Amino acid sequence: MGDQISANAEKVLKVLKRSKSVFLPIRRIAASSGLSRFNAYRSIYELQNWGYEIELKKERGYRLREITDLLFPFEIKDNLRTKVLGQQVYVYQTVKSTNLVAYKLAEAGSPEGTLVISERQTAGKGRMGRSWFSPARLGLWVSLILRPTIPPSSVAGLSVCAGLALAVTIQKLFGLEAKVKWPNDCVLEQRKLGGILLELSAEMDQTKFVIMGVGINVNQRRGDFPATLQDKATSVRIEWGERVSRLEVLKCFLERFEKIYLLFKKRGLRAFRHEIKKYSSILKKEVKVKFGHQTITGMAWDIDDKGFLLVKTKEKIETIVAGEVSLLLPRD
Ligand code: BTN
């Protein structure tokens, strides 16, 4: 089995999906997919090997037991309501990092909106040189190629845009109180649900392209995380109580982010500053912020039009361009 599903298996899958819960005899599957019976059998076997749960009932035939959640390009593109994002999709079973793959594709000229996704990453990258835990089939490990005509100094705003799109997605789909933790995290009850890593190729004050890596913890159970992450990280499944469809989360995120991104390119962050503040997990709370070699404490006061964090210390209001924020627990 290669990295991609075969065209025959894709045809059979379409037929099985169309019939929903009705069993189909092999001759019907073969006829509807334009394959010989032999190839229809082979395709069912292939689909089962990919992880699709196909049930066989004697004298009645086959049916899909549940809509299995595998990230093939045709599954992602099916009913995806975007104009730019995900029009070109590259799916892998295992890569070191989708950001690395996307960077190479961008250098070779892949267009804006190209999506790279992998079921598993062996060297997933986080911010500040950290690694990103990316186990097989449990989350969404995604990179987008973006080519905004904005100066490199405005690129950081994209990470706030992506965090906002993710928080809105999780709130809309599951009603969970997902928030944006400035500058690049999506959190639930202060536990990390997703993170964004931007990598930039620029010349002087011209942005050539941006790779926007997004990691979303979707179907992990607590025990799936390494012990060191169990108190810091969470997933949609842990909070929602059941396994959810990664495809649904991915499509909803792409649709949301596209709307925000297109507006951001025209009008900057100003256009949705109000929403960013509404979804913030830190505003008006006491925080500690590390940036460069400095650490300050104060109140997370505001997020400005450029997406920078304003922190009110005893002395003044400090503008933070990039840094690491942690909440200070209220004193008794
Ligand atoms: C962070 O919060 O530290 C950022 C995490 C970003 C993880 C994603 S997963 C897909 C993409 N590929 C990577 O190697 N990293 C990003």
Side-chain angles (χ1 to χ4, degrees):
M1 207 163 61
D3 223 32
Q4 298 300 335
I5 198 165
S6 73
N8 283 354
E10 200 178 314
K11 284 181 194 156
V12 167
L13 186 61
K14 273 196 188 131
V15 172
L16 291 173
K17 275 189 177 173
R18 234 184 290 136
S19 78
K20 299 220 165 72
S21 55
V22 178
F23 284 91
L24 288 180
I26 196 75
R27 65 181 154 71
R28 281 273 306 281
I29 297 174
S32 307
S33 52
L35 300 176
S36 65
R37 280 195 203 188
F38 176 73
N39 280 337
Y41 276 127
R42 268 181 48 160
S43 301
I44 288 175
Y45 180 67
E46 180 187 331
L47 288 169
Q48 286 171 325
N49 277 332
W50 278 114
Y52 286 96
E53 285 186 44
I54 298 170
E55 198 179 350
L56 168 64
K57 241 192 192 147
K58 240 180 161 183
E59 280 153 26
R60 293 179 64 193
Y62 296 88
R63 73 168 179 187
L64 260 186
R65 184 169 302 183
E66 61 172 81
I67 302 298
T68 313
D69 194 31
L70 296 171
L71 305 171
F72 292 115
F74 69 93
E75 297 274 29
I76 294 169
K77 286 182 178 179
D78 184 30
N79 213 12
L80 175 66
R81 291 179 298 262
T82 56
K83 292 195 184 82
V84 186
L85 305 184
Q87 298 306 305
Q88 198 148 323
V89 177
Y90 293 86
V91 176
Y92 299 87
Q93 293 308 304
T94 303
V95 294
K96 280 187 177 162
S97 154
T98 53
N99 266 31
L100 286 176
V101 177
Y103 202 99
K104 284 193 187 136
L105 285 167
E107 281 185 318
S110 280
E112 156 126 310
T114 301
L115 175 78
V116 178
I117 192 159
S118 183
E119 288 286 6
R120 169 174 172 256
Q121 297 185 115
T122 52
K125 298 195 279 179
R127 272 174 84 227
M128 318 243 174
R130 295 195 199 105
S131 60
W132 181 261
F133 175 62
S134 325
R137 293 188 177 183
L138 294 178
L140 288 164
W141 325 127
V142 179
S143 298
L144 284 165
I145 297 176
L146 303 176
R147 297 183 179 278
T149 46
I150 54 172
S153 57
S154 304
V155 165
L158 280 171
S159 119
V160 183
C161 293
L164 174 64
L166 184 51
V168 174
T169 296
I170 301 302
Q171 289 215 9
K172 290 275 173 302
L173 286 180
F174 307 103
L176 296 167
E177 281 274 300
K179 298 271 181 188
V180 186
K181 179 164 169 248
W182 187 91
N184 77 320
D185 289 351
C186 177
V187 295
L188 265 166
E189 304 287 343
Q190 305 302 338
R191 289 199 165 110
K192 188 150 165 169
L193 181 87
I196 290 116
L197 175 69
L198 298 181
E199 294 186 275
L200 174 70
S201 168
E203 255 168 29
M204 299 294 282
D205 50 6
Q206 180 81 37
T207 304
K208 280 164 74 186
F209 60 80
V210 179
I211 304 302
M212 194 183 87
V214 185
I216 312 172
N217 297 325
V218 184
N219 278 325
Q220 290 100 325
R221 283 173 286 207
R222 185 143 324 278
D224 292 318
F225 287 102
T228 48
L229 291 181
Q230 283 181 12
D231 290 334
K232 294 186 196 148
T234 192
S235 72
V236 181
R237 180 179 189 168
I238 292 171
E239 306 296 332
W240 175 245
E242 297 176 23
R243 204 166 80 100
V244 304
S245 161
R246 288 180 305 161
L247 282 166
E248 192 181 6
V249 175
L250 175 65
K251 290 182 203 188
C252 188
F253 170 74
L254 291 174
E255 287 163 10
R256 284 269 154 198
F257 178 65
E258 179 168 288
K259 281 198 188 113
I260 294 175
Y261 174 61
L262 297 179
L263 200 59
F264 171 79
K265 284 204 292 185
K266 274 196 208 140
R267 295 177 43 202
L269 276 188
R270 216 173 323 125
F272 27 79
R273 188 164 160 212
H274 172 74
E275 246 196 317
I276 290 169
K277 286 163 69 167
K278 186 173 132 201
Y279 280 86
S280 167
S281 71
I282 58 166
L283 280 189
K284 306 295 175 222
K285 295 190 177 145
E286 292 293 324
V287 291
K288 182 165 91 179
V289 189
K290 281 193 203 162
F291 57 105
H293 296 295
Q294 251 183 298
T295 301
I296 58 164
T297 55
M299 179 181 280
W301 191 246
D302 204 352
I303 293 171
D304 72 11
D305 280 353
K306 291 193 174 127
F308 299 156
L309 177 67
L310 308 184
V311 178
K312 190 174 184 202
T313 65
K314 280 195 188 115
E315 296 81 29
K316 58 175 178 164
I317 293 186
E318 189 94 52
T319 302
I320 316 290
V321 176
E324 186 123 30
V325 180
S326 45
L327 283 184
L328 291 176
L329 293 173
R331 278 177 290 259
D332 295 322

